[in-house]
Amino acid sequence: MSGEIQSHRDLKVWQIALDLTETFYRLSADWPKHEQFGLVSQIRRAAVSVAANIAEGAGRRSTGEFIQFVGISRGSLAEVETLLIVARRLDYVEETVCRTLLQEVYELGRMLTGLIQSLEQRKAQR
């Protein structure tokens, strides 16, 4: 992490998480109405949680807290992945769309892991 970062909004990983959240909101808008308080709500909350926890962690006072919140983001991302697979199995999402979104989820997961590693290095240097 360079000194150029002023807030979580400067983090590419947060920007991508926010884009992915928007994607899941739009995707789930067409799912069956009976899923409104089930799968739709759950995947939206999990997707929002990824970006929100990055932001909250960046706003914390210590690097250790930031690491903890990015870890929570990773957990939420795993939840998004699981819910997307469930949606695919229920035929709410086409196979090709699901595959593309899973690749985006995996890439974001790699970025979150990289952020944690960077933060751990920074913490170790202090």
Side-chain angles (χ1 to χ4, degrees):
M1 294 189 36
S2 71
E4 300 169 10
I5 301 297
Q6 299 295 318
S7 84
H8 62 277
R9 292 182 304 275
D10 298 325
L11 295 169
K12 187 73 174 166
V13 68
W14 177 82
Q15 295 166 7
I16 291 171
L18 206 57
D19 290 344
L20 201 56
T21 299
E22 181 181 349
T23 297
F24 280 106
Y25 263 76
R26 293 182 190 285
L27 178 72
S28 63
D30 294 333
W31 292 358
K33 292 297 177 203
H34 69 271
E35 289 289 0
Q36 198 63 37
F37 300 107
L39 198 56
V40 171
S41 175
Q42 199 166 357
I43 201 166
R44 287 177 174 185
R45 283 183 290 119
V48 166
S49 179
V50 177
N53 278 292
I54 294 166
E56 186 169 355
R60 293 293 176 135
R61 297 185 74 169
S62 75
T63 303
E65 287 177 299
F66 195 0
I67 292 167
Q68 179 183 357
F69 278 90
V70 176
I72 294 168
S73 289
R74 284 179 49 193
S76 294
L77 189 63
E79 184 178 358
V80 168
E81 173 193 12
T82 300
L83 296 166
L84 177 59
I85 292 168
V86 169
R88 172 62 201 124
R89 287 184 174 195
L90 295 172
D91 290 323
Y92 299 161
V93 181
E94 293 179 19
E95 178 66 32
T96 55
V97 172
C98 183
R99 217 177 342 208
T100 298
L101 288 173
L102 285 173
Q103 284 305 111
E104 291 179 28
V105 165
Y106 299 151
E107 179 57 30
L108 182 55
R110 285 189 287 277
M111 292 177 75
L112 290 169
T113 297
L115 177 57
I116 289 172
Q117 291 170 344
S118 175
L119 291 168
E120 287 173 340
Q121 288 174 353
R122 182 170 85 181
K123 186 177 175 184
Q125 292 172 352
R126 291 185 176 189

